[in-house]
Amino acid sequence: MSWKIWALKKSPWVFHVNTGACNNCDIELLELLTPRFDVERFGIKLVGTPRHADALVVTGGVTRQAAPRLQEIYRQTPKPCVVFAIGSCACSKGIFKKGYHMIGPVDKVIKEVDPEAIVMYIPGCPPKPEAMILGVVKALAAL
Amino acid sequence: MFLDAGKYIFYFLVFPGFIFTLAVGLISVWIDRKVTARVQWRVGPPPGQPLYDILKLLGKETIVPKNSNKTLFLSAPLVGLGSVTIVSVILWLASVYKISFVGDLFVVVYLLMLPSLSLMIGGMASGNPMAATGANREMKLILAYELPFLLCLAIVIIKSGISINMVDLAGNHVMGSISGVLAFLISLLCIQAKLGFTPFDIAEAETEIMEGPYIEYSGVPLALFKITQAMLLFTLPVYLISVFLGGLNFRGLGILWTVLKYVAILVVIIVIKNTNPRLRIDQALKFFWRFLTPAGIVALVLAIIGHISGIDWL
Ligand code: SF4
C-alpha cells in the first residue's frame, strides 16, 4: 500500500452533493457530524468545495438537471477520489424508478465520465448513520 | 565562512525554522481541533490528524484552473510559507541566542503581513469569483487590523526606551503598566484576525463563499497553505510572548514558564474562536476602527505621558 492511499484513508474529506434527494438522506448525513456519531474521530471532515474533497457523497437519484453538474463536480475533484452513493435512490433510483425526470443512478452517471471510478453503495431509505459509518469503513478497507 | 553558512541553513531549515515550527504548529492545530471538539461535546480527531491531512494533500492531484494565472497561482503559497519561516527564525534567534539586528522588529511585522497577502494573491490569481470575494474581504480585514496592531507595537517601543531591537524588547516589562495591558489585549484580537479564526474568519467563510481564496486550490499548494496556517498558529503567539510577555527563556524553570505562556495564549485564542459567531465584514471593520483603534490611541497617549514624566505604571 503506498503512502498516498494510507494517508487518504486516515483523512478522507467529503463533499456533499445532492442530486435530487428528498432531503431525508441529507439530514441523516448531517447526523454523522453531531456529537452522537462524530466522524471527525476518523479524520472525516465536511469541506465546502470539490477541490479539497477526497470523497463525493451523493444523495438522491440523478435528475436530468443534476446529471451534467454531477459530472462536472466529479471532474473537478482531484484524484484519487471515491464516490459514495448514499440511499436507495442514489444506488438504484429507489422509489423514483419510473420518474420521467430521472436519468439514472449515480454510478451510471459517474461512469459516463470515468469508467474507472470507484463507487460505493450504501442502500437504505434513508440509511442509518451507523450503516453509513459501516459503509465508509468497509470502503476504506477495500481501497 | 562555510561553517557559518551551514549554521544559518540549519537555523532556517531545522531548529527554529521550518521543521521545528511545523512540528509545534501541527501539535497546536491538533490542540485547537481537540479543544473545539470538546467544547462541542464531541470526541475529536486523533493526535496525528493534522499530519495525516497534510500528507494526504501532498499525495493528491494538483489542479490548475484554466483561466487562472498559473505562475502566481502556484507561487503564492510559497511566499506565505517563506515569510512565516523567516519570522520564526528571527524571533527564536533573538530570544534564545540573542542574535538580532537593528530594526528586526519592523521586519517581523512586515513579514507577518505576507501570509495574508499571499492568500490574497493566490485567490485573485485563481480566477474564481468566490476567491476574488474572499481576497477582497481579506484586504479589508488587513486594512482594519493593521493600524491597531502597529499602535500596540509603538507602545511597546516606547516602553522599552525607544528601541527597535527584538533582543531589547524581550527583557522589558510591558505588562506592568495600564497601556501595556491594553496593548496586549488589542494585539491578541488582531492576531485572532491574522490567523483567520472566528469571529474574523470572514475571508474563508466556508458556509457563504466556500473557503474563499482557497476554493480552487488542491493537492500540494493547498498543503502548503495548511502548513503556513499551522506555522502561524505557533509563530504569532510566540511573537506576542517575545514582545509583551518578556520573551522565551529556556534555562531551568524558564522552560515551564515559557510553555505555560504559549499554552495560555493558545487556549485564549481557541476559546474566543469557539464562543463567537462570524462577524460580517462591515461589523469587523467597525469593531477595529471604532473600538480598538481609539483604545490603541488612548493607550499610546498614556504610554507617552508615562515615558515623559517617568511614571512606570501608566
Ligand atoms: S433513499 Fe429515501 S430518503 Fe433517501 S433520497 Fe431517496 S427517497 Fe429520500
Side-chain angles (χ1 to χ4, degrees):
Chain A
M1 185 170 58
S2 79
W3 63 273
K4 288 182 187 178
I5 300 291
W6 177 80
L8 187 70
K9 280 184 185 180
K10 288 283 187 182
S11 87
W13 291 358
V14 300
F15 179 69
H16 174 203
V17 195
N18 181 338
T19 51
C22 73
N23 226 344
N24 210 342
C25 280
D26 307 290
I27 291 169
E28 292 298 313
L29 192 66
L30 289 182
E31 205 110 293
L32 292 180
L33 304 173
T34 56
R36 191 178 180 93
F37 295 102
D38 185 27
V39 284
E40 204 190 2
R41 284 178 295 156
F42 311 117
I44 301 178
K45 201 168 95 171
L46 205 61
V47 290
T49 148
R51 291 267 196 244
H52 301 183
D54 310 298
L56 293 180
V57 173
V58 189
T59 52
V62 185
T63 63
R64 255 171 236 284
Q65 295 288 327
R69 273 112 186 157
L70 178 60
Q71 291 173 342
E72 187 59 39
I73 288 174
Y74 183 78
R75 278 194 220 102
Q76 286 180 345
T77 313
K79 311 294 172 300
C81 82
V82 191
V83 179
F84 287 102
I86 302 264
S88 304
C89 290
C91 295
S92 66
K93 293 205 264 186
I95 53 168
F96 301 112
K97 190 168 192 313
K98 299 217 174 86
Y100 67 95
H101 59 297
M102 280 288 160
I103 283 204
V106 170
D107 53 353
K108 183 178 153 235
V109 177
I110 295 273
K111 290 210 163 138
E112 275 172 23
V113 190
D114 177 10
E116 308 275 85
I118 310 168
V119 186
M120 313 284 180
Y121 308 90
I122 302 174
C125 183
K128 280 189 169 184
E130 292 95 329
M132 290 189 209
I133 295 178
L134 184 65
V136 171
V137 169
K138 278 188 179 168
L140 292 181
L143 263 184
Chain B
M1 171 74 201
F2 275 117
L3 216 66
D4 253 19
K7 202 168 74 183
Y8 281 107
I9 289 175
F10 176 78
Y11 283 160
F12 193 76
L13 289 182
V14 188
F15 174 53
F18 184 68
I19 292 178
F20 173 71
T21 315
L22 179 60
V24 187
L26 289 181
I27 296 171
S28 318
V29 171
W30 176 69
I31 293 175
D32 168 28
R33 285 176 69 172
K34 187 79 179 175
V35 172
T36 307
R38 292 311 296 161
V39 168
Q40 295 168 356
W41 219 246
R42 291 186 289 122
V43 177
Q49 196 54 47
L51 184 65
Y52 301 148
D53 287 352
I54 283 173
L55 278 181
K56 176 206 67 182
L57 287 174
L58 287 177
K60 294 264 298 187
E61 184 189 6
T62 303
I63 300 176
V64 182
K66 213 191 325 180
N67 52 358
S68 68
N69 183 333
K70 260 202 190 77
T71 330
L72 271 183
F73 183 75
L74 292 178
S75 59
L78 290 173
V79 175
L81 187 62
S83 65
V84 182
T85 313
I86 299 173
V87 170
S88 181
V89 173
I90 294 179
L91 287 177
W92 280 78
L93 288 189
S95 283
V96 181
Y97 300 106
K98 307 285 176 223
I99 304 174
S100 135
F101 51 90
V102 177
D104 52 358
L105 192 55
F106 296 121
V107 177
V108 165
V109 170
Y110 277 111
L111 285 177
L112 279 180
M113 217 176 94
L114 276 184
S116 321
L117 226 53
S118 79
L119 188 63
M120 264 164 51
I121 295 170
M124 293 282 193
S126 70
N128 186 307
M130 298 282 193
T133 314
N136 216 323
R137 292 181 179 187
E138 181 77 33
M139 197 187 309
K140 285 172 193 146
L141 206 57
I142 291 178
L143 287 179
Y145 68 66
E146 274 308 312
L147 186 56
F149 193 64
L150 291 176
L151 280 175
C152 296
L153 202 66
I155 293 166
V156 177
I157 292 173
I158 290 171
K159 282 279 158 206
S160 66
I162 323 286
S163 160
I164 46 175
N165 228 330
M166 278 321 281
V167 172
D168 298 338
L169 288 188
N172 71 2
H173 303 286
V174 186
M175 294 301 278
S177 58
I178 302 172
S179 57
V181 173
L182 257 177
F184 175 71
L185 293 178
I186 295 169
S187 293
L188 196 66
L189 286 169
C190 293
I191 270 169
Q192 190 90 7
K194 264 189 192 293
L195 283 169
F197 274 5
T198 336
F200 307 113
D201 61 340
I202 312 164
E204 280 112 79
E206 52 288 272
T207 37
E208 344 161 5
I209 51 170
M210 307 164 135
E211 327 229 350
Y214 301 113
I215 187 168
E216 292 289 349
Y217 278 102
S218 61
V220 180
L222 183 63
L224 292 184
F225 269 130
K226 294 276 168 203
I227 289 174
T228 311
Q229 277 179 335
M231 286 165 74
L232 268 182
L233 188 55
F234 175 50
T235 311
L236 285 171
V238 168
Y239 164 83
L240 274 190
I241 294 174
S242 343
V243 172
F244 290 99
L245 301 182
L248 308 160
N249 179 3
F250 290 95
R251 260 168 256 108
L253 274 181
I255 300 179
L256 203 69
W257 190 223
T258 308
V259 172
L260 202 70
K261 283 183 211 167
Y262 173 67
V263 171
I265 292 181
L266 194 64
V267 167
V268 170
I269 289 175
I270 296 171
V271 168
I272 296 177
K273 175 185 168 185
N274 277 305
T275 46
N276 285 284
R278 182 186 308 127
L279 294 176
R280 279 200 320 269
I281 185 69
D282 58 321
Q283 290 168 331
L285 271 176
K286 263 183 210 150
F287 177 68
F288 278 109
W289 281 353
R290 291 219 185 131
F291 296 103
L292 291 195
T293 308
I297 291 173
V298 169
L300 184 62
V301 170
L302 281 182
I304 292 174
I305 295 173
H307 183 67
I308 292 173
S309 55
I311 307 170
D312 262 351
W313 52 267
L314 265 183

